[in-house]
């Protein structure tokens, strides 16, 4: 492998990781609080889950296309890529937050109320710790899919390992495609393993 | 003297089903009133009205003279010790942290909490050195229940709600804890509302027994009066005790 190729792989992998990490962080910052508030507002649950579900079904290339003409969040570049990735990552994080908290044993929740915990105390001392493994599982699923979807970000100038793949497609050069696909697959495996490990740590008190 | 707890014409229902009907009951300060009744007669429901986990559909429950609707529910609950029927321990907390929950919410100091936890664990027959750092899943059902009792007593509440606290215990341990309860009671000034479906336990612990039947209060009687009952639900319970055919 020529040194320049190795260098480019390292650079684009780094770019890819940053893209995914930024998107996941934003999706968690939006998805977890939204999921928590949905456990308190039953009336909103169907609508919010419905919308995130629909977003999930839009083919990724099309979604990137839709975003390009939009002001502020659209255009060509990293910002558009991040917005699209956030939209995809939102659903698993939101859904797992919701099911994780609603899945806490009702007897345990009732006992938190009966001991005189406020709503916040109940959330932070009882519900979130017990839902943590499920919420983390949502983040892990989001991470793995985002690493894959992020390869399409290159189509809108988002950079990352997709650059190899699109270049390979254009020049019908399968080694270029592999230079993008293999590191992306390895990243996904690493994220799955790493986050799975953290998840198991949380499951055991 | 003002009753510690008073139910005044309380009715409660859920999904069109009446669970408590025109319930009137006063619990005097310092007494152990036992709510006795068959499964589904409404004992747990009545108990949960006292710490505002449930709100009456009509009527009011008074705690220390004030209707529960007017209490700040958080303050009310921190003043009342509650032993939950299924223990309801926090699975991610150790035994010690479970017992310490309410003192911690009340902002007690660390040393005071630790001393209190150890004292209570010994009292309920769980040597602290052995049990302090265990998790609920590492305990038997009866041990969990005892942690539930310790937790309810932790913040020295003047009011105790106990929902079949000794239900999951073998007869020997059960007897030990009942005796411990009686011994404690002679030294404290707590009021307790104690739920059981075991007539023997009711007779042993109660200052008065309130017998529930299908959501209605059938009689309120001292154990002696209760034993003398000749008819109704009380007789059925006593017959079960004596293993006699029903009259
Ligand atoms: N959340 C609920 N939804 C529907 N019905 C309920 C609910 N909670 C209680 N009930 C009904 O109310 C009645 C009284 O229930 P409660 O829990 O007070 O009985 P209990 O006397 O404590 O019985 P047990 O000795 O079995 O604990 C029962 O018929 C029960 O099925
Ligand atoms: Mg009950």
């Amino acid at each position: 492998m020529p040194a320049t190729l190795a260098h480019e792989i390292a650079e684009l992998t780094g770019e890819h990781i940053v893209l995914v990490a930024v998107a996941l962080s934003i999706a968690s910052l939006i998805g977890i609080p939204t999921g928590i508030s949905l456990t308190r507002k039953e009336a909103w649950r169907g609508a919010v889950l419905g919308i995130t579900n629909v977003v999930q079904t839009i083919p990724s290339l099309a979604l990137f296309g839709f975003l390009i003409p939009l002001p502020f969040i659209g255009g060509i570049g990293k910002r558009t890529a991040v917005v699209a990735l956030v939209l995809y990552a939102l659903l698993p994080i939101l859904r797992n937050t919701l099911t994780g908290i609603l899945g806490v044993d009702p007897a345990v929740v009732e006992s938190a109320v009966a001991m005189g915990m406020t709503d916040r105390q109940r959330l932070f001392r009882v519900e979130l710790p017990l839902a943590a493994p499920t919420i983390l599982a949502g983040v892990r699923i989001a991470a793995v899919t985002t690493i894959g979807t992020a390869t399409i970000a290159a189509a809108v100038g988002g950079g990352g390992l997709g650059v190899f793949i699109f270049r390979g497609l254009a020049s019908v050069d399968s080694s270029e495609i592999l230079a993008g696909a293999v590191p992306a697959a390895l990243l996904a495996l690493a994220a799955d393993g790493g986050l799975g490990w953290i998840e198991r740590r949380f499951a055991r008190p | 003297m003002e009753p510690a707890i008073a139910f005044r014409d309380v009715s409660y229902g859920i999904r069109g089903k009446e669970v408590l009907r025109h319930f009137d009951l006063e619990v005097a300060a310092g007494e152990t009133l036992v709510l006795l009744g068959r499964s589904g007669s409404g004992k747990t429901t009545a108990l949960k009205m006292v710490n505002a986990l449930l709100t009456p559909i009509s009527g009011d429950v008074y705690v220390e003279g004030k209707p529960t609707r007017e209490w700040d529910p958080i303050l009310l609950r921190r003043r009342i010790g509650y032993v939950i029927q299924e223990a309801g321990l926090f699975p991610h907390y150790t035994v010690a942290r479970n017992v310490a929950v309410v003192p911690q919410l009340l902002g007690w100091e660390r040393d005071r909490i630790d001393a209190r936890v150890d004292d209570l664990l010994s009292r309920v027959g769980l040597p602290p050195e052995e049990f302090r750092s265990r998790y609920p899943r590492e305990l038997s059902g009866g041990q969990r229940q005892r942690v539930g009792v310790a937790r309810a007593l932790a913040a020295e509440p003047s009011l105790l709600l106990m929902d079949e606290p000794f239900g999951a215990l073998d007869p020997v341990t059960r007897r030990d804890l009942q005796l411990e309860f009686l011994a404690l009671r002679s030294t404290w000034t707590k009021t307790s509302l104690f739920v059981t479906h075991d007539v023997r336990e009711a007779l042993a612990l109660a200052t008065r027994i309130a017998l529930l039947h299908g959501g209605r209060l059938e009689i309120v009687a001292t154990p002696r009066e209760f034993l003398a009952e000749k008819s109704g639900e009380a007789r059925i319970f006593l017959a079960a005790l004596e293993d006699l055919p029903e009259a």
Side-chain angles (χ1 to χ4, degrees), chain B residues 62-120:
Chain B
Y62 292 76
V63 176
E64 291 164 8
K66 193 157 95 173
T68 52
R69 300 173 203 274
E70 289 170 22
W71 274 93
D72 172 349
I74 304 293
L75 291 182
L76 178 69
R77 290 169 189 149
R78 289 182 187 175
R79 290 171 68 107
I80 298 180
Y82 181 36
V83 185
I84 294 159
Q85 196 166 3
E86 319 85 41
L89 300 179
F90 301 124
H92 58 307
Y93 280 10
T94 59
V95 164
R97 268 191 90 186
N98 265 292
V99 175
V101 167
V102 183
Q104 228 150 37
L105 291 172
L106 292 171
W108 285 22
E109 278 173 29
R110 185 83 247 156
D111 293 349
R112 185 173 169 212
I113 294 181
D114 289 346
R116 180 76 183 146
V117 166
D118 284 0
D119 176 45
L120 281 166

Side-chain angles (χ1 to χ4, degrees), chain B residues 61-247:
Chain B
V61 179
Y62 292 76
V63 176
E64 291 164 8
K66 193 157 95 173
T68 52
R69 300 173 203 274
E70 289 170 22
W71 274 93
D72 172 349
I74 304 293
L75 291 182
L76 178 69
R77 290 169 189 149
R78 289 182 187 175
R79 290 171 68 107
I80 298 180
Y82 181 36
V83 185
I84 294 159
Q85 196 166 3
E86 319 85 41
L89 300 179
F90 301 124
H92 58 307
Y93 280 10
T94 59
V95 164
R97 268 191 90 186
N98 265 292
V99 175
V101 167
V102 183
Q104 228 150 37
L105 291 172
L106 292 171
W108 285 22
E109 278 173 29
R110 185 83 247 156
D111 293 349
R112 185 173 169 212
I113 294 181
D114 289 346
R116 180 76 183 146
V117 166
D118 284 0
D119 176 45
L120 281 166
L121 287 178
S122 329
R123 274 174 195 257
V124 297
L126 302 172
E129 323 72 65
E130 192 184 340
F131 287 95
R132 209 187 283 125
S133 349
R134 290 214 202 165
Y135 285 93
R137 67 186 144 77
E138 299 164 338
L139 302 176
S140 72
Q143 289 168 340
R144 275 200 282 272
Q145 237 180 2
R146 284 183 270 168
V147 176
V149 173
R151 177 173 71 169
L153 293 170
E156 290 166 355
S158 55
L159 215 59
L160 274 176
L161 306 175
M162 308 179 88
D163 199 345
E164 302 198 21
F166 310 140
L169 301 174
D170 64 274
V172 180
T173 314
R174 191 182 175 110
R175 190 71 199 140
D176 281 351
L177 279 182
Q178 287 171 349
L179 290 173
E180 176 72 17
F181 181 82
L182 285 171
L184 274 173
R185 202 179 62 192
S186 59
T187 64
W188 71 22
T189 50
K190 294 184 202 305
T191 309
S192 20
L193 193 52
F194 189 111
V195 164
T196 185
H197 53 232
D198 176 355
V199 65
R200 199 183 293 269
E201 183 165 80
L203 290 167
L205 300 183
T207 49
R208 288 187 305 152
I209 298 172
L211 183 64
L212 269 155
H213 183 39
R216 271 182 204 283
L217 194 56
E218 203 162 282
I219 51 161
V220 184
T222 62
R224 188 188 296 269
E225 291 162 356
F226 190 91
L227 278 168
E229 278 296 319
K230 290 282 176 287
S231 61
E233 183 77 353
R235 195 64 236 159
I236 296 172
F237 265 95
L238 289 170
L241 175 66
E242 291 156 16
D243 206 17
L244 289 173
E246 286 178 20

Side-chain angles (χ1 to χ4, degrees), chain B residues 12-15 17-20 35-48 54 85-86 163-164 195-197 212 214-215:
Chain B
Y12 183 78
I14 186 160
R15 288 182 215 130
K17 182 178 181 300
E18 275 196 297
V19 177
L20 283 184
L35 283 176
L36 177 68
R38 302 186 197 189
S39 183
S41 56
K43 306 181 295 295
T44 299
T45 307
L47 216 57
K48 284 181 179 173
L54 299 173
Q85 196 166 3
E86 319 85 41
D163 199 345
E164 302 198 21
V195 164
T196 185
H197 53 232
L212 269 155

